[in-house]
Amino acid sequence: MSLVLQFPAATPQQSLDYLQTKLAYYTDAWDLAEDLARQTPEIVVIDARAPEAYRAGHICGAINFPHRGMDATTTARLDRSKVYVTYCDGIGCNGSTKAAWKLASLGFQVKELIGGLDFWKRDGHPLIWGDSAGEWPAAAPLASCGC
């Protein structure tokens, strides 16, 4: 018997439902880079790591908001009409998940960046260093990931 088919494949409708739900929770570096380059106003990127990690290199335009400090008081300044994309170091870190959970529990719309800063850097997207969020560099090339 096939090991792949040991558990039957989902129906097409089950697959559609699951995959649509999955895409509601996550974005990837290429899609986020496209939105940042286009200055999509509905998206806010949150670096959920400690300030020291943020200063050592972060996504252009990301604000530093460590997940450990998120609560009703500290998030009061956030715009509830935006979608917040959270990230941390990468797949070995759950800071982005904790940040997304806290924001969602407070009524914000959220997505996580797949692979965090690790995948962002691997794909060659621009970084900025220091305390400033910075801006997307005008000369930054946008390439297709081939997807």
Side-chain angles (χ1 to χ4, degrees):
M1 174 175 203
S2 166
L3 294 177
V4 171
L5 298 177
Q6 181 178 3
F7 298 94
T11 67
Q13 187 59 54
Q14 287 171 321
S15 292
L16 284 171
D17 293 344
Y18 167 75
L19 295 169
Q20 182 172 345
T21 299
K22 183 177 177 180
L23 289 168
Y25 294 108
Y26 301 101
T27 189
D28 68 9
W30 290 97
D31 290 346
L32 182 58
E34 288 276 344
D35 277 353
L36 291 175
R38 293 179 184 149
Q39 300 179 8
T40 304
E42 301 89 355
I43 303 293
V44 176
V45 181
I46 293 181
D47 184 316
R49 303 173 302 151
E52 302 79 33
Y54 179 81
R55 282 192 290 273
H58 59 273
I59 293 173
C60 300
I63 60 171
N64 185 219
F65 197 171
H67 69 87
R68 295 181 193 278
M70 291 180 178
D71 60 30
T73 302
T74 60
T75 60
R77 63 184 166 85
L78 297 179
D79 184 344
R80 291 186 180 275
S81 70
K82 308 287 184 181
V83 172
Y84 292 89
V85 176
T86 61
Y87 77 91
C88 55
D89 283 330
I91 61 172
C93 177
N94 66 2
S96 64
T97 304
K98 290 176 179 178
W101 181 86
K102 287 179 181 181
L103 291 171
S105 72
L106 293 166
F108 294 94
Q109 289 184 291
V110 296
K111 287 191 175 207
E112 278 189 271
L113 177 62
I114 297 170
L117 193 61
D118 181 39
F119 283 20
W120 182 268
K121 292 190 291 190
R122 182 194 69 180
D123 289 345
H125 299 301
L127 295 173
I128 192 164
W129 293 264
D131 291 317
S132 169
E135 296 178 4
W136 190 266
L142 279 177
S144 172
C145 67
C147 296

